[in-house]
Amino acid sequence: MDNPIRIADAAPGGTQIMKRYLPAILFTALLAGVSLISQPARAQQSCESLASLKMTNVTITAATSISAPPDWNVPSTPGRFGTPPGLKVSVPFCRVAGFATPTSDSHIGFEVWLPVAANWNGKYVGIGNPGFIGSISYGGLVREIARGSATASTDTGHADVGATSEAPDAWAIGHPEKVADWGYRAVHETTVAAKQLLQAFYGKPAKLSFWSSCHEGGNQALTEAQKFPADFDGIAAGDPAYNITHLQAVSEYVTWVSLKDGVKAPGYIPPSKYPVIHRAALDLCDTLDGVRDGVIEDPTRCPFKPETIRCPGNTDNASCLTGPQVETAKLIYAGPKFSDGKQIYPGFDPGSEMGWGLTAAGPEPLSISTGFFKSIVFENPQWDFRTFDVDRDTRLADSKADAALNSNDPNLKAFKAHGGKLLLYESWDEAIIPPRSAIDYYNSVQATMGGPSQTKDFFRLFMVPGMGMCPGFGFGNDGTFDAMEVVQKWRETNVAPDKIINSHRTAGAVDKTHPACPYPQVAIYKGSGDIMDAASFTCGNPKK
């Protein structure tokens, strides 16, 4: 189907979205302001009484007091992104379940977990979602309830518990409003409902509201800051999967370039050669920051060209690339362009090669981008990725789904006026989302809002080298810093972070620390000291 998706009250730029949600935005802002003035608190309501709370377009299906200890067993759900058995909650809370119906084809499921009043830290925290998955993120709810925060998660407007892939599927075909629910409505509708519930339960609003998530959760973060600036006071957006139609285009492009002719084709790069390319890039660019530490600090300054490791003549050796393989690598680095030469989305950078397997190794195409074009763009489950035309099909995706899915508005003036803080961070090791996309968004905000002098107090970007994907969205042995902690401190103290220390772990033990610096600064070796210790580096502007 080639008809554009027609979204109720949606328009490019978000004008109609803002009109539709203006009452809710003003209501949310009012709640935020209530905590700043002295007035008697409203009467608290019991957990069970929340089941009868009246909210526009919202139905509460259950409100249950959970007594713990003994530990309460979280419902387990199947699938790659389900909740494994054994997850437990050891603190008492009020569990509320419900759904929102902003349109006749909407069914946005959510759960809101409210600590008992004595344990509440006064904060509200929203929980992000992976990919196009439609399920409650119980792991995030468990984490935040243990911290004492009121918290909520949404199924993004569709239920596909048990999904084995992040890709959209049958739920999106013929359901443009469900696509819009996933694209921008679900998190906002959930946030509005959650704040009304916590207001009723505690008799007062949250002092501050926060969001920290990665990939699609990072995209949800940017969507909230752009379209619903009063929903959150502090937002951490990690490796954001933003500008969805173009992001899925670059993913499908890399898959198509690598696999359209099969894994026996001359241009196919076997994964065994990824380390060869990676080593060549490191040998050329590792020391640009003054030290050889196995990391390219700023890949944008790396002049590596894959033709420098081309095999001699027509030979094909394990330690080099054939001519056709060189051409494939060049296309992966360059990224897709429209027929007029305009960049659709950045390509990947030198140093990224060890992650190419997710999109380029095959033998099957990447499920999430292929599913996007099957279900949302062409609405045809039989669509063949080999027919992909990056110019034609990206334009079609834009015409059908831009208003519903893309959050690339650089005007963050309303979020700034709200007093919000936006921490944007991106890993140079990101293997699905080309990292330069975060720099592109950062630069567009600077151009729109008047440069760093107008943005540095509320919006900063940190590019993180050598620490894996989603470095700020990890807990325990996952991740290298806690982005939630960083953005909460920023909002609460009004002191912007001037560096973020990342801690790399092996087998649970920290074996390396390294600073991430506010862009465009980079970490520069001081000339002495342990290269595995962040104290041996300082943040500064890279040498030209």
Side-chain angles (χ1 to χ4, degrees):
M1 296 175 62
D2 292 339
N3 295 326
I5 291 177
R6 302 186 183 279
I7 307 302
D9 302 311
T15 301
Q16 295 303 317
I17 294 172
M18 292 295 285
K19 287 181 179 178
R20 170 182 171 83
Y21 286 109
L22 184 58
I25 292 171
L26 293 175
F27 175 75
T28 306
L30 178 61
L31 290 184
V34 168
S35 63
L36 301 179
I37 60 177
S38 175
Q39 68 173 38
R42 298 180 183 176
Q44 294 174 277
Q45 296 186 30
S46 69
C47 179
E48 283 69 20
S49 72
L50 297 179
S52 59
L53 188 67
K54 301 300 181 184
M55 293 180 282
T56 304
N57 297 326
V58 171
T59 300
I60 301 300
T61 57
T64 309
S65 294
I66 303 297
S67 297
D71 289 351
W72 179 72
N73 293 306
V74 176
S76 61
T77 54
R80 179 182 174 192
F81 299 96
T83 302
L87 197 61
K88 298 178 184 295
V89 176
S90 58
V91 295
F93 69 99
C94 174
R95 181 191 183 195
V96 184
F99 61 90
T101 53
T103 76
S104 60
D105 195 31
S106 295
H107 190 287
I108 299 170
F110 61 79
E111 287 200 23
V112 180
W113 290 12
L114 304 168
V116 297
N119 293 345
W120 186 37
N121 61 18
K123 299 173 184 176
Y124 169 73
V125 174
I127 304 297
N129 301 84
F132 289 88
I133 294 297
S135 63
I136 301 295
S137 298
Y138 284 110
L141 293 174
V142 170
R143 179 183 69 244
E144 293 306 328
I145 204 74
R147 290 178 165 184
S149 300
T151 185
S153 174
T154 174
D155 65 6
T156 69
H158 63 279
D160 54 2
V161 173
T164 58
S165 164
E166 295 179 276
D169 50 33
W171 64 264
I173 298 175
H175 295 281
E177 297 299 348
K178 290 188 182 299
V179 173
D181 288 339
W182 179 89
Y184 67 89
R185 278 197 295 247
V187 169
H188 175 67
E189 294 283 348
T190 297
T191 302
V192 171
K195 289 187 176 183
Q196 291 183 61
L197 285 162
L198 72 83
Q199 170 79 49
F201 186 62
Y202 299 116
K204 58 184 177 181
K207 295 178 182 178
L208 292 169
S209 297
F210 293 98
W211 180 279
S212 175
S213 196
C214 190
H215 282 176
E216 168 50 24
N219 179 50
Q220 291 170 324
L222 293 182
T223 300
E224 283 290 301
Q226 294 168 23
K227 290 181 168 64
F228 308 108
D231 278 1
F232 293 95
D233 303 293
I235 293 175
D239 294 19
Y242 96 107
N243 201 3
I244 289 291
T245 59
H246 288 209
L247 171 61
Q248 299 308 321
V250 68
S251 296
E252 196 67 1
Y253 175 76
V254 173
T255 288
W256 177 81
V257 163
S258 304
L259 302 174
K260 66 181 185 300
D261 297 319
V263 297
K264 301 295 185 183
Y268 175 75
I269 303 174
S272 60
K273 290 194 176 186
Y274 297 164
V276 175
I277 314 172
H278 185 63
R279 172 46 57 192
L282 282 178
D283 286 347
L284 182 64
C285 299
D286 185 357
T287 59
L288 291 178
D289 61 344
V291 63
R292 184 174 295 280
D293 56 0
V295 174
I296 300 176
E297 182 72 31
D298 180 5
T300 63
R301 299 170 57 219
C302 180
F304 172 71
K305 305 294 182 184
E307 49 266 43
T308 60
I309 56 170
R310 179 171 176 167
C311 299
N314 294 320
T315 61
D316 183 1
N317 300 318
S319 60
C320 55
L321 298 179
T322 66
Q325 289 169 347
V326 166
E327 295 306 310
T328 296
K330 289 168 67 175
L331 292 173
I332 293 173
Y333 288 129
K337 296 179 175 65
F338 286 117
S339 58
D340 62 5
K342 183 179 179 180
Q343 193 83 40
I344 294 173
Y345 216 79
F348 288 95
D349 295 283
S352 66
E353 301 79 15
M354 298 304 292
W356 285 5
L358 290 174
T359 52
E364 297 301 318
L366 182 67
S367 62
I368 188 169
S369 57
T370 301
F372 171 81
F373 281 95
K374 284 182 176 181
S375 299
I376 293 179
V377 179
F378 292 101
E379 300 188 67
N380 175 12
Q382 305 307 314
W383 179 76
D384 185 350
F385 86 98
R386 296 171 186 83
T387 67
F388 180 67
D389 181 292
V390 69
D391 179 273
R392 178 196 65 206
D393 297 344
T394 303
R395 294 184 189 278
L396 178 59
D398 282 344
S399 69
K400 293 193 70 171
D402 174 77
L405 300 183
N406 289 341
S407 295
N408 47 21
D409 185 354
N411 187 347
L412 298 176
K413 292 178 181 178
F415 185 69
K416 178 182 179 180
H418 171 66
K421 307 298 183 185
L422 177 56
L423 171 68
L424 175 60
Y425 65 91
E426 180 77 47
S427 169
W428 280 119
D429 290 343
E430 176 59 54
I432 291 292
I433 303 159
R436 270 181 290 129
S437 62
I439 296 176
D440 287 349
Y441 181 67
Y442 173 86
N443 286 336
S444 71
V445 172
Q446 304 311 311
T448 298
M449 298 192 63
S453 65
Q454 301 301 311
T455 62
K456 62 184 176 66
D457 290 335
F458 88 97
F459 173 47
R460 292 195 174 193
L461 166 64
F462 289 80
M463 301 299 294
V464 184
M467 292 289 176
M469 293 192 292
C470 292
F473 189 62
F475 305 90
N477 291 330
D478 300 319
T480 59
F481 75 98
D482 187 343
M484 177 69 82
E485 182 179 280
V486 174
V487 77
Q488 285 188 355
K489 182 178 180 181
W490 185 5
R491 177 60 181 82
E492 291 167 352
T493 66
N494 205 35
V495 177
D498 58 2
K499 63 182 174 181
I500 296 173
I501 303 300
N502 288 260
S503 300
H504 184 274
R505 293 173 176 84
T506 300
V510 175
D511 55 11
K512 177 182 179 179
T513 59
H514 194 79
C517 303
Y519 185 83
Q521 294 183 32
V522 298
I524 300 171
Y525 185 56
K526 293 179 178 179
S528 62
D530 185 355
I531 64 172
M532 306 299 279
D533 186 348
S536 301
F537 295 81
T538 186
C539 288
N541 292 318
K543 297 178 181 178
K544 299 297 183 180

